[in-house]
């Protein structure tokens, strides 16, 4: 049984645990299953709204899916929560990723950025 299969089974056994959803989301991210990973992280946050680390992985999944605006919003919320909670490591990671996302969104030729119309 793979790690991903184990995490899916754990979510089935304990669907109200933010930890099992976080584990599933991390496993999905590692396997390139970004939509499923985002869904699992969103569920972890729904269960425990101040789960700072889940915001970081959710943002990373959204970035990989090309949803940069949504990733930016998730990072901003995660940074706010992490700052209040004193969760420095995920908060610092999200600050760095937020800066990267803002840079990508500012590029006119970026697929997710504004179109400049220039060729």
């Amino acid at each position: 049984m793979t790690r991903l299969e184990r995490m899916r089974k754990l979510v089935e056994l304990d669907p109200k645990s933010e930890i099992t959803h976080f584990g599933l989301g991390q496993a999905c991210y590692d396997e390139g299953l970004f939509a499923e990973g985002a869904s699992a992280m969103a569920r972890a946050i729904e269960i425990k709204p101040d789960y700072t680390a889940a915001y970081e992985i959710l943002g990373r999944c959204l970035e990989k899916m090309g949803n940069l605006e949504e990733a930016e919003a998730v990072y901003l919320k995660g940074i706010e929560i992490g700052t209040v909670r004193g969760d420095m490591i995920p908060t610092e990671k999200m600050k760095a990723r937020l800066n990267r996302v803002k840079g990508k969104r500012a590029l006119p030729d970026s697929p997710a950025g504004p179109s400049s119309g220039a060729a």
Side-chain angles (χ1 to χ4, degrees):
M1 184 180 282
T2 67
R3 175 174 162 233
L4 183 58
E5 290 168 335
R6 282 192 307 273
M7 292 313 304
R8 285 177 176 151
K9 187 68 171 171
L10 284 172
V11 166
E12 282 180 34
L13 294 172
D14 194 0
K16 294 182 181 177
S17 169
E18 74 278 1
I19 295 168
T20 61
H21 288 281
F22 180 87
L24 175 59
Q26 182 68 62
C28 289
Y29 180 85
D30 293 345
E31 294 292 325
L33 302 170
F34 305 119
E36 185 179 352
S39 178
M41 287 301 169
R43 180 67 181 125
I45 291 166
E46 184 179 308
I47 295 167
K48 187 174 194 276
D50 64 349
Y51 199 164
T52 309
Y55 286 89
E56 187 218 341
I57 306 300
L58 173 56
R60 287 169 50 189
C61 287
L62 293 168
E63 277 187 73
K64 291 288 189 178
M65 293 165 41
N67 299 340
L68 300 183
E69 189 173 328
E70 195 175 348
E72 185 176 329
V74 166
Y75 290 141
L76 287 169
K77 181 70 174 172
I79 290 165
E80 177 186 324
I81 289 168
T83 300
V84 169
R85 289 183 45 87
D87 294 336
M88 297 316 299
I89 292 173
T91 301
E92 291 304 315
K93 286 181 181 180
M94 285 187 282
K95 286 179 181 178
R97 296 199 77 86
L98 176 62
N99 287 334
R100 193 172 319 157
V101 167
K102 284 182 175 181
K104 286 180 185 177
R105 290 189 62 216
L107 295 175
D109 58 352
S110 171
S115 176
S116 66

